[in-house]
Amino acid sequence: MKKIIFLILIILLMTSIVNASVNYDIVIKNGVVYDPQSDKFLEGYNIGILSDKIEIITRDDITGSNIIDATNRIIMPSFIDSFQRHFGSVFDGFRIKDGVTTSIFTSDEDYNTFLANNSENISYINRILIYDISKKLPSDDKDDIKSFEELIMKSIADGYAGIYYKPTNTSFELDLNFLSSDYPLYLDLSNIDEIEIINYIKAYRDREKNPRPIHLLASNYYFNIIDDIISFSEADELFTFGGHIFSYINIKPNLEQEYRKEQFIGKTTIDQKTGNIFDFDNSYINYEDTLAVTGLNSEDTIEKMIGSNGFVPESFDLYPGSVMSTADANTFISLFKKGYDKKEQLPFKALTINPIANFKSVDSPLINKGKIEFGADADIVIIDPSSITPHSSMTEQVHPSHGVTHVIREGMLIINDREFVPSAPKARWIKRNHLPYEFLNDFSIKTKHKKAAELNAVKFKNKNYLSLYDISQYLNILYAEDGGHVTIGNLIKMDIGSNYYSVGTTKNEIAEGLVLINGGIYLEENSLKSLLRDFFEIEIEENKISFKNGDKYSLLDSSTPSSNMNVNTNTTNILLSYILSIGLIVVFILFLNYNKNKSKANRKE
């Protein structure tokens, strides 16, 4: 028995040396990973985080300083609040337990002045700023218009990521054609009668030379035209609308149109200052404090909103109350639960990549967020779907969301096993961000009998990574993905994050495994050459890869898998395997010889 145990230990030791791994800062194990960028679910995968970035996604065992077991849990990018008006650790405490780590905020101050005055006014949630021009509008004077344009250009250059505008009426025709369309326009149209809103947006769109993303704030408030807003978003892919997924809206009755006031009559209403609950009647027609009126958006309407590509959730409220509301505390995890229960990914995208799509500049603060990919910002939420409880009722005291077990913001644990981490660093105002890789727009692929074509490729850490799907399509090789498992030509099989692949029954190794990046599965060019070298003669030049059919190319044309096929494709690995086996045999013989000599010595004594 001792000999067997010793032999096993030797094997494990040698295996660990051969497969030496990085010690990551944080490792998340055994969860179901969802990446909205590629729309992939990866079951049983592990994530390794180094510093503030995702370094690896793999089924292989990896080690780290902090291990999180995510068995039976969903791992996905943490959520983005598409517009937020509140400050303070209390509000942010509710928001972080709702899965949010990033939000969009507005100011009309000079960018650097605002940061100097508010550097401490931030707690758990990172924020980016958009510039409020509502009180900066020019007159008809040419010099005034020029100053207005220069002010906006300076504000964007200083760090603002977009424009916020709240018109007082429809008479002023806003012109932003001087500003790159990479920067979005956030519209607060609460001063405009809701029946004029769609026409107002259309008129602005008609004046544009290059359409920019437009985001309509607090769409729940416009309950009479919400169907029109949804329809408009379906027709205009650059238009999004924000809101929450509850039936109530906050109002100030004295500011409402008369026809809307009539629609409030008889609705269950909560005074957002006193907490009193009552049915709205004529005695409240001119009430000046904030009231929450329920039942104005039906469940069918809310389902339509959630089912629209244009919907993004936000905590912004036109008329916030003096106490926390359901939308303040429970919007995001409630939306997640709707998607999870219906097995629909669209709500997951609304929580993550949909808000990001509005910010198109190459240095957008959000450009590397909202995805679980190689090199992405490590903004991650881990959710236990079985523990999500119903959201707060409007008629009860608001409680934090349940279901979020861990929150990681830029590689730092903020919530660990449902509890705040006391030592977690403060959040920050994010000015600029960049992708960790660059697109190789002139990379091409070529074969002898086919015209060269562009190939999706990126450069990351001075290495070129190529789209495996694009290569297979160009070479007319069968290609299939099943989560993180890839099959090429019904013969080569491998998983994201693993250096090992199989050809039939033969297991082989390449220098680098598949990576999830840029919304797809990519492979480093030299590893690709090793992977396919027995099927193609491959030449790699600068930004060009050429293929010539090899002797075994025809094996990749098989339309049905052959599990019995055994193709020798990597003699180096086979040689290493033989050396390792011989080494183990030598160790075992030495061990037996040692025991034999020891027994002889004992007998002599």
Side-chain angles (χ1 to χ4, degrees):
M1 178 59 72
K2 289 182 179 180
K3 295 178 182 179
I4 295 174
I5 293 173
F6 181 78
L7 181 59
I8 291 172
L9 289 174
I10 290 292
I11 293 172
L12 290 174
L13 177 63
M14 295 187 71
T15 302
S16 66
I17 292 172
V18 173
N19 298 308
S21 60
V22 178
N23 189 68
Y24 298 96
D25 296 327
I26 299 176
V27 167
I28 308 171
K29 289 192 169 186
N30 307 321
V32 178
V33 177
Y34 176 65
D35 172 44
Q37 185 84 359
S38 61
D39 202 23
K40 292 185 184 300
F41 283 96
L42 308 176
E43 295 191 24
Y45 273 75
N46 307 317
I47 296 175
I49 297 169
L50 273 179
S51 186
D52 61 344
K53 296 290 188 287
I54 295 171
E55 187 70 16
I56 191 170
I57 305 165
T58 180
R59 274 202 177 106
D60 295 346
D61 189 35
I62 53 177
T63 60
S65 302
N66 195 334
I67 306 291
I68 299 172
D69 183 7
T71 302
N72 298 324
R73 295 175 182 177
I74 304 294
I75 306 164
M76 64 184 292
S78 54
F79 307 146
I80 296 172
D81 188 340
S82 65
F83 198 68
Q84 174 182 339
R85 262 285 171 77
H86 299 285
F87 267 141
S89 58
V90 174
F91 178 80
D92 280 2
F94 276 84
R95 253 305 164 249
I96 202 81
K97 287 199 169 183
D98 211 24
V100 175
T101 60
T102 308
S103 65
I104 291 102
F105 199 79
T106 185
S107 171
D108 62 358
E109 293 184 67
D110 171 81
Y111 185 87
N112 295 313
T113 301
F114 177 87
L115 258 58
N117 294 336
N118 293 278
S119 59
E120 298 300 318
N121 200 2
I122 194 167
S123 53
Y124 303 110
I125 296 175
N126 284 336
R127 292 185 175 91
I128 70 171
L129 280 173
I130 57 176
Y131 189 48
D132 183 355
I133 63 170
S134 306
K135 297 179 181 179
K136 313 285 186 181
L137 302 179
S139 66
D140 292 336
D141 180 75
K142 289 184 179 180
D143 291 337
D144 201 15
I145 293 173
K146 182 178 179 181
S147 297
F148 169 73
E149 293 177 356
E150 289 174 348
L151 175 64
I152 291 181
M153 295 299 289
K154 177 183 181 301
S155 298
I156 293 294
D158 286 345
Y160 281 104
I163 302 297
Y164 167 92
Y165 179 46
K166 183 179 181 179
T168 55
N169 54 58
T170 60
S171 60
F172 182 80
E173 294 187 352
L174 180 65
D175 182 358
L176 294 176
N177 283 313
F178 62 90
L179 178 67
S180 167
S181 60
D182 290 340
Y183 300 96
L185 173 62
Y186 272 53
L187 289 175
D188 177 348
L189 300 182
S190 54
N191 289 330
I192 297 175
D193 191 327
E194 64 182 336
I195 61 176
E196 300 178 20
I197 284 177
I198 296 298
N199 286 333
Y200 178 87
I201 297 172
K202 286 181 177 179
Y204 173 80
R205 189 62 98 199
D206 289 342
R207 295 194 300 273
E208 286 185 310
K209 294 178 181 177
N210 296 302
R212 75 179 63 252
I214 295 176
H215 179 71
L216 176 64
L217 295 167
S219 60
N220 302 70
Y221 181 72
Y222 312 113
F223 57 89
N224 285 307
I225 63 162
I226 191 66
D227 285 342
D228 295 332
I229 292 172
I230 294 170
S231 296
F232 188 79
S233 75
E234 297 299 328
D236 186 337
E237 63 180 15
L238 291 176
F239 175 80
T240 57
F241 60 97
H244 57 71
I245 61 170
F246 308 111
S247 69
Y248 80 92
I249 65 168
N250 280 357
I251 65 164
K252 287 193 172 181
N254 63 312
L255 301 179
E256 291 289 333
Q257 298 281 344
E258 291 301 321
Y259 73 90
R260 283 170 60 94
K261 292 179 182 180
E262 293 177 4
Q263 294 173 297
F264 303 151
I265 301 295
K267 299 291 186 183
T268 300
T269 304
I270 301 96
D271 190 317
Q272 292 287 64
K273 184 176 183 180
T274 66
N276 292 336
I277 302 171
F278 53 89
D279 289 341
F280 193 96
D281 59 31
N282 287 323
S283 64
Y284 291 94
I285 289 295
N286 295 311
Y287 198 68
E288 295 182 358
D289 288 330
T290 300
L291 302 178
V293 183
T294 65
L296 293 171
N297 286 304
S298 68
E299 187 62 32
D300 285 345
T301 296
I302 291 169
E303 291 300 320
K304 286 181 183 178
M305 291 171 59
I306 296 171
S308 170
N309 287 308
F311 174 70
V312 291
E314 62 192 20
S315 65
F316 173 66
D317 203 317
L318 294 172
Y319 304 109
S322 57
V323 295
M324 295 284 291
S325 69
T326 303
D328 291 333
N330 309 130
T331 289
F332 290 79
I333 202 65
S334 298
L335 180 56
F336 168 86
K337 182 169 173 54
K338 281 184 174 289
Y340 181 81
D341 289 346
K342 293 185 176 182
K343 295 181 172 57
E344 294 176 355
Q345 286 98 285
L346 198 55
F348 297 170
K349 293 182 178 182
L351 291 161
T352 52
I353 59 173
N354 284 7
I356 294 171
N358 285 329
F359 296 82
K360 298 184 178 298
S361 64
V362 294
D363 58 357
S364 161
L366 297 175
I367 198 167
N368 204 32
K369 298 185 181 296
K371 50 195 172 187
I372 303 290
E373 293 190 352
F374 186 41
D377 287 356
D379 287 354
I380 295 173
V381 61
I382 303 176
I383 301 170
D384 178 6
S386 67
S387 67
I388 297 175
T389 56
H391 60 76
S392 310
S393 165
M394 286 299 296
T395 58
E396 67 177 339
Q397 185 175 357
V398 170
H399 60 70
S401 292
H402 295 280
V404 172
T405 64
H406 297 78
V407 174
I408 299 169
R409 188 197 67 223
E410 296 183 325
M412 301 298 296
L413 263 173
I414 309 301
I415 291 182
N416 186 21
D417 201 17
R418 306 179 193 269
E419 299 295 331
F420 284 104
V421 178
S423 60
K426 278 190 171 184
R428 65 189 180 100
W429 298 93
I430 306 176
K431 183 175 181 179
R432 296 284 186 254
N433 202 352
H434 294 87
L435 289 171
Y437 53 83
E438 62 175 299
F439 295 102
L440 300 176
N441 295 320
D442 58 347
F443 206 101
S444 65
I445 182 171
K446 180 74 175 73
T447 63
K448 184 177 181 181
H449 302 293
K450 200 170 185 179
K451 185 179 179 181
E454 291 184 1
L455 178 65
N456 279 317
V458 298
K459 181 180 287 294
F460 183 61
K461 295 183 178 180
N462 294 318
K463 295 179 181 180
N464 294 339
Y465 292 82
L466 314 179
S467 167
L468 206 54
Y469 171 80
D470 284 3
I471 290 170
S472 298
Q473 289 291 103
Y474 181 83
L475 297 175
N476 197 30
I477 301 171
L478 292 173
Y479 178 88
E481 294 179 10
D482 182 10
H485 184 71
V486 171
T487 303
I488 303 171
N490 278 330
L491 183 60
I492 303 171
K493 301 179 186 296
M494 58 194 312
D495 293 312
I496 288 174
S498 176
N499 291 24
Y500 293 96
Y501 67 98
S502 63
V503 180
T505 58
T506 303
K507 189 174 183 180
N508 306 283
E509 185 178 6
I510 50 179
E512 292 190 42
L514 300 177
V515 295
L516 188 59
I517 196 170
N518 190 32
I521 295 177
Y522 284 61
L523 187 60
E524 191 273 330
E525 59 184 4
N526 289 305
S527 292
L528 175 74
K529 187 174 182 179
S530 298
L531 179 74
L532 299 177
R533 64 185 175 187
D534 283 286
F535 305 97
F536 295 96
E537 295 177 18
I538 302 174
E539 291 185 7
I540 299 175
E541 304 173 37
E542 185 176 0
N543 288 358
K544 181 181 179 181
I545 186 166
S546 301
F547 290 81
K548 182 180 178 182
N549 293 353
D551 294 339
K552 297 176 182 177
Y553 165 76
S554 60
L555 296 175
L556 294 175
D557 285 334
S558 174
S559 59
T560 56
S562 177
S563 58
N564 294 322
M565 190 176 294
N566 189 345
V567 182
N568 179 0
T569 65
N570 197 324
T571 54
T572 301
N573 282 332
I574 293 173
L575 181 60
L576 287 174
S577 298
Y578 279 128
I579 293 172
L580 179 60
S581 300
I582 292 169
L584 290 174
I585 292 169
V586 170
V587 169
F588 184 61
I589 292 171
L590 290 173
F591 174 74
L592 293 177
N593 190 52
Y594 169 79
N595 273 354
K596 183 178 179 181
N597 292 335
K598 186 176 180 182
S599 298
K600 287 181 179 179
N602 289 337
R603 285 197 297 270
K604 287 180 180 179
E605 291 176 1

